[in-house]
Amino acid sequence: MDEVFEPLRWRDLDYFGHVYHGEYLTLLDEARGSWLGGAAGGPGLRDPETYVVARVEIDFVSSLTREDRGVHIGFVVERVGRTSLTLRETMRGGDGREVARVRSVIVLWDRVAAGSRPFDDDERARVEALVAS
């Protein structure tokens, strides 16, 4: 599983020092963009920040807190479509415990055409090489 580390920021925390549940989406999005761009073994898409989230499921397993200082987010490619990826994403606290299990579907986006775009041949080959068996 490829993994990206995202440090926690003051704004991620609630009054009790826990990461607010809505911030999990922001942390996931930031890590996903880095991973799609090639960080930590990701596929290196030509425009890694240009996608839309079509679906996201989160199972919260454990609290992420100020003491964790950051979150490790792992990525596994489950499925490659014509314009989309289904990802299994795992969030782990500073001590390695699982804090959330996530499944997301992202769709590559063409800003000019304002619609989905297919993987080019090079991108498809790199992404398909990452599909979990």
Side-chain angles (χ1 to χ4, degrees):
M1 175 184 303
D2 298 328
E3 194 172 87
V4 173
F5 178 77
E6 287 293 326
L8 296 180
R9 300 149 302 207
W10 180 254
R11 71 178 180 100
D12 297 331
L13 303 169
D14 65 14
Y15 179 77
F16 302 105
H18 297 98
V19 173
Y20 175 68
H21 70 276
E23 291 300 323
Y24 281 62
L25 292 170
T26 300
L27 292 164
L28 284 162
D29 196 52
E30 290 171 358
R32 191 182 303 116
S34 294
W35 181 76
L36 288 170
L45 300 182
R46 69 177 146 97
D47 199 0
E49 295 292 331
T50 307
Y51 64 88
V52 294
V53 175
R55 180 176 176 81
V56 66
E57 303 170 30
I58 301 177
D59 292 322
F60 297 98
V61 178
S62 176
S63 295
L64 189 57
T65 68
R66 171 184 6 213
E67 288 75 28
D68 287 302
R69 300 185 161 281
V71 60
H72 299 271
I73 303 174
F75 298 91
V76 173
V77 177
E78 288 189 340
R79 182 182 173 282
V80 181
R82 190 178 74 76
T83 64
S84 67
L85 281 177
T86 301
L87 299 171
R88 186 172 64 239
E89 302 162 332
T90 304
M91 301 177 79
R92 296 193 180 280
D95 61 359
R97 79 190 179 291
E98 186 177 46
V99 297
R101 281 182 227 111
V102 184
R103 177 169 283 126
S104 63
V105 177
I106 63 166
V107 177
L108 301 183
W109 193 255
D110 182 327
R111 291 181 226 197
V112 175
S116 62
R117 75 162 179 90
F119 290 95
D120 65 32
D121 292 341
D122 186 48
E123 288 174 320
R124 177 167 292 285
R126 286 185 301 216
V127 170
E128 287 180 344
L130 298 174
V131 174
S133 42

